Amino acid sequence: MKQENQSTKQLILAEALTLFSTKGYESVTVAEIANAVGVKAPALYKHYKSKQDIFNAILEEMKASYDRQAAAMQMDGRDAEKDQSLYIDTSENATVKRSMELFLYFLHDDNERKFRKVLAIEQYNNRDLADVYANQYVDFPLSYQSALFGLMVNLGVTIPENPQIMALQYYAPVYLYLRLCDCQPEREAEALQILEQHFKQFIRVYHKEETR
């Protein structure tokens, strides 16, 4: 029975995310989610107390999904100190490959794509979701990259420049092309080509010659 309940909870999250990404969070009702799952609304409330509760569970699942992807890439993805070894005595090709793999995860993972669309739709209508959007796609990645580049500067791997500016220069094209491919998926090949060149140039500009 426990396994069945777990499956129902996951189905609720999947159907809710699909509806949110199609109609927007504010426009979707609990009754619509229940109907998509194939249950009555009272049955849905056995698993989640409200639509907000469903969204919070989706947010936690997105964090868990990112953590699983990071682990599959043998990185922590949240704690820069734990990941600094990945960028010491590592080839340019390995660093570029890791960056490209992470970009492709965010671009192609179906749930990531849907979740990004929900936040993009609602960022102008819902302050709480605007805050989630800012944290997910601006504050968190820049904070992680700033901490990582700060460590690289202190270790002498990169030239002594402002880590926050380095993070901004590294991440801004990633975010830009992620949004571009969301709107125009046919431009993915162009985006991948430019991002690969961007990562290589970034390494050449900031890494000390003897550490490349």
Side-chain angles (χ1 to χ4, degrees):
M1 187 65 175
K2 185 176 180 181
Q3 184 175 358
E4 180 181 343
N5 288 341
Q6 182 66 23
S7 297
T8 301
K9 292 185 74 169
Q10 292 300 316
L11 183 58
I12 291 169
L13 298 185
E15 294 295 344
L17 181 57
T18 297
L19 286 169
F20 292 159
S21 68
T22 303
K23 302 177 64 175
Y25 174 80
E26 296 289 352
S27 299
V28 175
T29 65
V30 171
E32 285 179 284
I33 298 171
N35 183 62
V37 174
V39 300
K40 300 294 185 182
L44 187 146
Y45 285 121
K46 293 179 182 178
H47 302 284
Y48 298 102
K49 295 180 293 185
S50 63
K51 186 172 74 168
Q52 182 64 51
D53 195 29
I54 293 171
F55 180 84
N56 291 342
I58 291 173
L59 180 57
E60 289 305 310
E61 177 53 36
M62 299 313 302
K63 292 178 180 177
S65 176
Y66 169 75
D67 288 342
R68 289 191 294 270
Q69 176 64 25
M73 296 171 61
Q74 281 145 19
M75 58 186 290
D76 181 84
R78 295 187 183 278
D79 189 332
E81 287 192 14
K82 292 180 180 178
D83 287 337
Q84 61 179 312
S85 61
L86 297 173
Y87 298 89
I88 301 173
D89 297 327
T90 302
S91 70
E92 175 184 297
N93 287 341
T95 302
V96 171
K97 180 181 178 181
R98 188 180 303 109
S99 297
M100 296 296 289
E101 186 175 349
L102 203 53
F103 175 80
L104 287 169
Y105 160 72
F106 281 104
L107 181 62
H108 288 305
D109 183 85
D110 195 44
N111 287 336
E112 279 288 347
R113 182 177 52 79
K114 289 178 181 178
F115 188 65
R116 192 162 57 248
K117 186 176 180 182
V118 176
L119 297 180
I121 291 171
E122 295 295 345
Q123 64 179 313
Y124 304 107
N125 305 317
N126 185 310
R127 178 56 189 270
D128 290 337
L129 296 190
D131 289 344
V132 173
Y133 185 92
N135 180 67
Q136 290 284 110
Y137 299 109
V138 180
D139 296 334
F140 167 69
L142 287 178
S143 175
Y144 170 80
Q145 292 294 340
S146 294
L148 186 61
F149 291 135
L151 290 167
M152 295 300 99
V153 168
N154 291 336
L155 290 169
V157 176
T158 64
I159 61 177
E161 293 290 350
N162 187 325
Q164 290 180 309
I165 302 303
M166 293 169 68
L168 186 62
Q169 292 174 338
Y170 172 87
Y171 179 67
V174 176
Y175 175 79
L176 177 69
Y177 279 102
L178 189 63
R179 291 303 308 273
L180 176 67
C181 291
D182 282 341
C183 300
Q184 298 181 325
E186 68 276 8
R187 297 182 66 178
E188 178 180 337
E190 169 195 345
L192 294 178
Q193 182 180 30
I194 292 177
L195 283 176
E196 183 175 4
Q197 294 173 3
H198 160 64
F199 294 135
K200 289 181 178 180
Q201 181 168 308
F202 185 90
I203 293 170
R204 288 195 296 269
V205 168
Y206 281 112
H207 280 224
K208 289 185 176 179
E209 185 67 32
E210 62 270 20
T211 67
R212 290 178 194 168

